[in-house]
Amino acid sequence: MKNINLHTLSQMKSEGKKFSCLTAYDATFAQLVSEAGVEVILVGDSLGMVLQGNDSTLPVSVEEMAYHTACVKKGNKGAFIMADLPFMSYSTPEQAMDSAAALMQAGAHIVKLEGAAWLADSISLLSERGVPVCAHLGLTPQTVNVLGGYRVQGRGEAAEQLLNDAKALEQAGAAMLLLECVPADLAKAVTEAVSVPVIGIGAGADTDAQVLVLHDMLGVTSGRKPRFVKNFLAETDSIQAAVSAYAEAVHNQTFPQPENWFE
C-alpha cells in the first residue's frame, strides 16, 4: 500500500470511495493491519481497557499514548496513523499543543480530540502550527461520567446542535471528524454538510469511513458487545484474513449493516 495521507483520504471522500480504520497498539499488529489494506490506524486510548484492563479510558496518560504510537510507527507499512489525546490532556489550548507535540513526535500523523464546539480554539491553534486534528463527536468515552453511560447521542433536539458543532469544528480547522453512536440519518447529514472526511462507528453506512477496535473485530473482547461490532474472525481462518475481510467489507460497503447502527 502506498503511503496514505490527508490528501489521499480527502480524495477518496470526493470520489465516493470508503476507507477503513482499525485500532492497533504495537508494531506487530500495525504491520498486519497496514498490509491488509486498512488505510488508517487508530492508536486509541481504548488501550486503557483492552490492554490495561481498566473499566474506562480515563487512566491513560500522554506518555503511554506516545509509547504505543511509537511502537505502531515502527511496524506501520504506509497507513495513516491517528493517535488519541487522552483524558484531561487538552483542557486548554496550550496543554493541547504540548500533548499533541508528544504524540506527533512519537509518530502520529494526526491527533484526535473528544468534544464539541468548545474545542474550536485548540483545533485552530493546532492546525495553524502544523498538527492535523480529528474531532470526535457524539458518544465521547472520556466524558462517559457526564453522559451517564455509553448512550446514543444526537437524538431529537440534540441533532441540530451536533450538526452545528461539526460545522464549527471544520471551520476551526479540523481535518477529519469521527462520529460515535449517533443516529444514521444524523451521521449522513453531517457527512454531507462538511468537506472533510468523516469516520463512523455505530453511525450508519453513509460516513466516509468505518472504525472498529481491533479486539472487538476479532471477537476477543469480554463482556457485552455493542451492536456496531462484528466479529470478522468468526467467518475466516486467521487474524490476517479477518482484518483483510474487514477492510474489504468497508470498501465494498457490505459493513456496516442495519443491525450495526442506530435510528
Side-chain angles (χ1 to χ4, degrees), residues 33-51:
V33 166
S34 56
E35 290 183 339
V38 173
E39 286 85 1
V40 180
I41 294 175
L42 171 60
V43 187
D45 59 0
S46 50
L47 67 88
M49 301 172 77
V50 299
L51 297 188

Side-chain angles (χ1 to χ4, degrees), residues 83-180:
D84 279 342
L85 290 182
F87 178 66
M88 290 300 289
S89 68
Y90 50 97
S91 56
T92 66
E94 293 74 22
Q95 186 186 30
M97 283 200 300
D98 290 341
S99 301
L103 299 192
M104 295 295 287
Q105 289 171 341
H109 300 127
I110 188 171
V111 298
K112 180 163 71 66
L113 299 77
E114 296 181 9
W118 63 269
L119 283 171
D121 288 344
S122 294
I123 290 175
S124 178
L125 197 64
L126 288 169
S127 61
E128 286 173 356
R129 285 154 178 77
V131 179
V133 177
C134 175
H136 183 151
L137 297 158
L139 173 59
T140 48
Q142 291 176 14
T143 57
V144 64
N145 292 311
V146 173
L147 298 176
Y150 297 94
R151 304 171 183 271
V152 177
Q153 302 295 308
R155 283 181 169 150
E157 296 179 357
E160 183 177 0
Q161 183 61 57
L162 192 147
L163 179 59
N164 290 337
D165 286 339
K167 293 177 180 177
L169 296 181
E170 180 191 23
Q171 184 66 29
M176 298 177 71
L177 300 177
L178 188 147
L179 302 178
E180 180 169 358

